[in-house]
């Protein structure tokens, strides 16, 4: 298995590959978190006793076991509801354009179809 990838993008949006299947990738699944959170908080189950955390996007017993040869990515974006003083909030349309630009950069960098990673 090759190392997991990260696609930097403009304006604070970032794609990170959290699960890479063995062999040919048939499809990319991109999980986008909601407002006032991050991917690290959204996609992880944390038990009350704080023992072992489970990221349901990357744990092989969770989503990867159900989606075949899909690579799974997270998309982090500026989702804070409260911004530092002096920072101008973006509109929903501006945020959507930032995410779209990141996805377009990902397709441009990886191509619409990826071959086996052997």
């Amino acid at each position: 298995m090759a190392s997991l990838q990260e696609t930097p993008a403009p304006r604070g949006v970032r794609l990170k590959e959290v699960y890479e299947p063995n062999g040919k990738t048939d499809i990319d699944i991109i999980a986008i978190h909601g407002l006032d959170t991050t991917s690290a908080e959204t996609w992880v189950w944390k038990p009350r006793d704080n023992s072992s955390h489970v990221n349901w996007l990357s744990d092989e017993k969770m989503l990867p076991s159900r989606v075949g040869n899909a690579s799974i990515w997270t998309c982090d974006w500026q989702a804070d509801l409260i911004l530092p003083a002096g920072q101008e909030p973006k509109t929903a349309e501006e945020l959507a354009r930032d995410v779209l630009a990141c996805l377009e950069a990902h397709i441009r960098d990886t191509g619409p179809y990826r071959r086996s990673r052997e």
Side-chain angles (χ1 to χ4, degrees):
M1 183 182 282
S3 63
L4 298 180
Q5 300 177 38
E6 191 168 315
T7 300
R11 298 176 290 276
V13 180
R14 182 175 56 104
L15 284 180
K16 181 178 181 183
E17 188 172 26
V18 295
Y19 179 78
E20 177 184 14
N22 291 321
K24 184 179 181 298
T25 297
D26 296 328
I27 191 168
D28 290 337
I29 295 172
I30 301 172
I32 302 174
H33 64 80
L35 288 172
D36 210 26
T37 189
T38 65
S39 290
E41 297 168 347
T42 301
W43 313 113
V44 176
W45 176 77
K46 298 175 184 175
R48 288 187 179 157
D49 67 2
N50 210 20
S51 54
S52 61
H53 300 125
V54 177
N55 183 320
W56 70 272
L57 297 176
S58 61
D59 187 294
E60 291 192 357
K61 296 177 185 171
M62 302 300 282
L63 184 61
S65 71
R66 309 295 252 168
V67 295
N69 287 334
S71 63
I72 302 172
W73 299 72
T74 58
C75 178
D76 279 302
W77 57 284
Q78 181 64 45
D80 298 330
L81 293 176
I82 299 174
L83 300 173
Q87 187 173 348
E88 192 70 26
K90 292 186 177 185
T91 66
E93 183 176 345
E94 289 171 320
L95 292 169
R97 288 184 188 277
D98 289 350
V99 171
L100 181 59
C102 183
L103 296 176
E104 288 171 340
H106 170 67
I107 291 169
R108 184 178 56 249
D109 293 345
T110 63
Y113 304 101
R114 289 185 279 168
R115 306 232 183 267
S116 175
R117 298 178 185 195
E118 298 171 349

